[in-house]
Every structure is written in structure tokens, then in C-alpha cells.
Amino acid sequence: MSKSEGTAPAFPDPLQAAEELALAVAPRVDEIERNRFLPQDIADHAARLGLHRMFIPAAYGGLEANPMVLVDAVERIARVDGSTAWCVFIGATSGMTAAFVAPDEARAAFGEPMSIAAGVFAPRGQARHAVEGGVAGYRVSGRWQWGSGSRNARTIMGGALIMGEDGKPEMAPEGVPQNRMMIFSASDVTLLDTWIVSGLCGTGSTDFEVKDVFVPASRAPSLISDKPLDRPLYCFPTFGLLGIGIAAVALGLARGSIEAIIELAGGKTPQGSTKPLAARAKAQIDVSEAEALTRSARAYLVEAIEAAWAAASRDGVISVEHRRDLRLATTHAVRAAARAVDLMYTLGGGTSVYKTSALQRHFRDVHVATQHMMVSEATYELTGRLFLGVPTNTAML
């Protein structure tokens, strides 16, 4: 495989950076939730630590990290605050778009160390071929949901279907409608105040829209059809990496819930009982089950990532089987983590419902994470078809 040119700036180790950010965020979790998006100083702190650059190519000053690095870092932050962890993984996974565009475009959109990117791959926009000032490109209009981190971003991206003259979407070689990721400057985007939700309140995952914005073709890559840089990280599918980030948040929330119950159990005696919570058989059973759910789901995720990384490093490609396992492992991790959080929330009894308890926030956050389309029940159908040998279009796997 070809070598990347250039070296990354001297950012701290991502896990060390995650620890530092988690400590800074801990006293501000209520502020983040009330704000409904990350205060800019927290987003900038994450940027200074290099956490948004984990998936940007080293050639453009990124860390180009093994996806397990993302899991470790995001999981650590999520133990303290799911919203901050979510924004970090969105910024990191958005950065991988730099591997799909020409070097000058990559440096312009992602090269600045303090730049933060956000994006939604879902093709909520429509784009029509256009030429402006002799430059070929697209006129784009659309409105996207779940624009996590967009209020902190300098670069905002949105998927758009390429429309033909007949008014129908053009088709990609993979047999699906052609969806290109349109790279906008934040100044071209209108943010809409729609993120009034039950959990992950501080992610600022508001709707955003553009109206008739010109995007040069050089800033409109296809994350399905176009070939990225020839590096192990970019052998991973976009959807797989997005799912990995969601799983990392959910596993961190589960771990945070278990820690919260362990801290609570020694000092809490449930109403109507003479024994502290830690001495009750039900508590012992539920903590053990939550621990097993969290650790086993994480182990499956690690196994899938490590197998795919080894293949990418050795062969320069990962198989459909690897992509299948990544999607199944991430969906399973989110579902298992939600079950673990539910057990801990219920075990906390009345304490869990108070705003002063991290358990109520973890409960609300993890149940928003489960609603993301990348980890929906449809994943089980997709991966099940592959296990059973049923013909399946894997372009979106």
C-alpha cells in the first residue's frame, strides 16, 4: 500500500486527550444539556486535543487512527457525557471525507487544526448538474435531520441525490441512486432550531438546510463509488465507521451507568428494606448481567474491528463478511448497552429519576442512540440475509 505523505501535528494520545476532555466536561454536563448544543469552548477544547482529527488522513495533518482508537476515546468521554462523546465521534467520522477528495480540497476543508466538520450522509438533498464560472458542479437544495455538531462546525456536509434531466435520480454503478456528499461552508447553511428532544440533548443535532447553493464537483465526492486514499482506515465503509461511533457512545453510557450504581449501592438502603442495595440479591444479579452484556458486546465489536483492520492492512481491502460483522457488532453493542443501562436505571429505584442522578441522563441518551438508522433492527435483516446466503445488495453495508 502507498505511504501517506506528511505527519500529524503533535496532538496528545487520543485516550489521554479523551481523559482530559472528560474531566473538563464533568462539571458542565447540566450546562451542556440546557444549552442543547456543545458550548463552543468545549468543542474547541476537543479540537485542540485532536479528537476531531482521528480519521483525517495523516497527509493532511490528521491522526489516521485505527477505529479502535475512536472506540476507546469516545467510550471514555461517554461515561461522563453522551452528548460530548457523540459530537466527538461525528466530528471524527466526518473527517474521513478528506480521503475522498483531491488534496487541495481536503486541506481547504479539513487541514486547519482547529477546524470541526459535521455531516449527514442521508440523501435529503437534491442536486442538479450546473456550471458556474467555467467550473462544473451542482446546484443543491435540501434539508437534513440529525445534524449533530453542526452548530460548532466550520464545514457541514449533506448527502444529495444527483437528479437527471428527466427528474429522476441518476444511478450509481452499484445499482443504487447516486448519492454524493456535498461539502458546504458553514456560511452557506441555515441551521434550524429543531433539536428539542428527550436525550443526547447537548449534541445540537438540529435540522439544517441549503437553498440553491453551488457546489463544485471537486467538493461532491461519492462515499460509495469514489476511491479514497489507499490506506487501511479508508478500506472501512462509511456506514461501518458511523456505526462504530454510535456503539462506542452506547458502551460508554452503559459503563457509566454501572459505575453510578456501584457508587450508589453501598450507601443506599431501599425503602422498606433493612439491607443496603449492594447486599440485595437482585442488585448483585443485575449488576452482573449488565457487566456481562457490556463486556461481551464490546468484545464482539473489538473482534470485528481487529479482523477488518488486519485484512485492510494486509490486503488493502476488507470483505463483505468483514463489513457484515462490523454492522452486526455495532448494532448488537448498542442494543446490549441499552439493556445494561435499563437494568441499572431500574435498580437505582427512585434515585434514578432525579436530575442529580447520572442514571436518568444515561437512560435518556442511550434510548436516543438506539433510534439511529445505522443501528436499527433493519440491520439484523440485512446481515441475516448474508448469513443465510440470500442475494443482497451490499452497496450500503
Side-chain angles (χ1 to χ4, degrees), residues 218-234:
S218 59
R219 293 173 68 89
S222 168
L223 303 188
I224 295 175
S225 302
D226 292 352
K227 299 299 182 185
L229 291 178
D230 185 20
R231 304 290 297 154
L233 175 60
Y234 309 114

Side-chain angles (χ1 to χ4, degrees), residues 2-16:
S2 61
K3 299 290 184 182
S4 291
E5 299 175 359
T7 56
F11 294 116
D13 172 80
L15 191 55
Q16 176 187 340

Side-chain angles (χ1 to χ4, degrees), residues 42 141 154 167 170 175 193 236 246 270 272 284 291 296 373 375:
I42 292 177
S141 295
R154 300 182 187 182
E170 297 180 357
D193 190 15
F236 280 69
I246 300 169
Q284 296 157 6
E291 187 71 29
S296 60
M373 63 178 294
V375 293

Side-chain angles (χ1 to χ4, degrees), residues 162-175:
I162 309 303
M163 309 302 291
E165 292 184 0
D166 60 0
K168 297 179 180 179
E170 297 180 357
M171 299 301 290
E174 293 77 9

Side-chain angles (χ1 to χ4, degrees), residues 11-23 49-51 54 63 65-66 68-79 88 298:
F11 294 116
D13 172 80
L15 191 55
Q16 176 187 340
E19 182 71 27
E20 180 178 329
L21 184 65
L23 291 173
L49 292 168
L51 289 167
M54 284 187 277
L63 300 178
N66 182 318
M68 270 310 306
V69 174
L70 178 82
V71 173
D72 290 341
V74 169
E75 192 177 36
R76 174 64 188 94
I77 300 165
R79 285 163 52 191
V88 165
R298 190 182 197 279

Side-chain angles (χ1 to χ4, degrees), residues 89-172:
F89 105 71
I90 288 292
T93 53
S94 297
M96 73 170 292
T97 308
F100 288 81
V101 297
D104 58 338
E105 294 288 9
R107 292 188 179 95
F110 305 97
E112 167 57 44
M114 286 297 292
S115 65
I116 298 172
V120 178
F121 181 80
R124 301 290 186 182
Q126 292 191 354
R128 299 184 182 277
H129 293 279
V131 177
E132 189 168 300
V135 177
Y138 305 93
R139 304 296 308 191
V140 186
S141 295
R143 175 170 172 164
W144 292 263
Q145 295 178 312
W146 285 66
S148 306
S150 54
R151 291 193 181 277
N152 306 118
R154 300 182 187 182
T155 296
I156 300 176
M157 299 173 287
L161 296 177
I162 309 303
M163 309 302 291
E165 292 184 0
D166 60 0
K168 297 179 180 179
E170 297 180 357
M171 299 301 290

Side-chain angles (χ1 to χ4, degrees), residues 232-257:
L233 175 60
Y234 309 114
C235 295
F236 280 69
T238 305
F239 302 114
L241 291 173
L242 181 59
I244 286 169
I246 300 169
V249 173
L251 290 169
L253 292 169
R255 177 56 54 201
S257 294

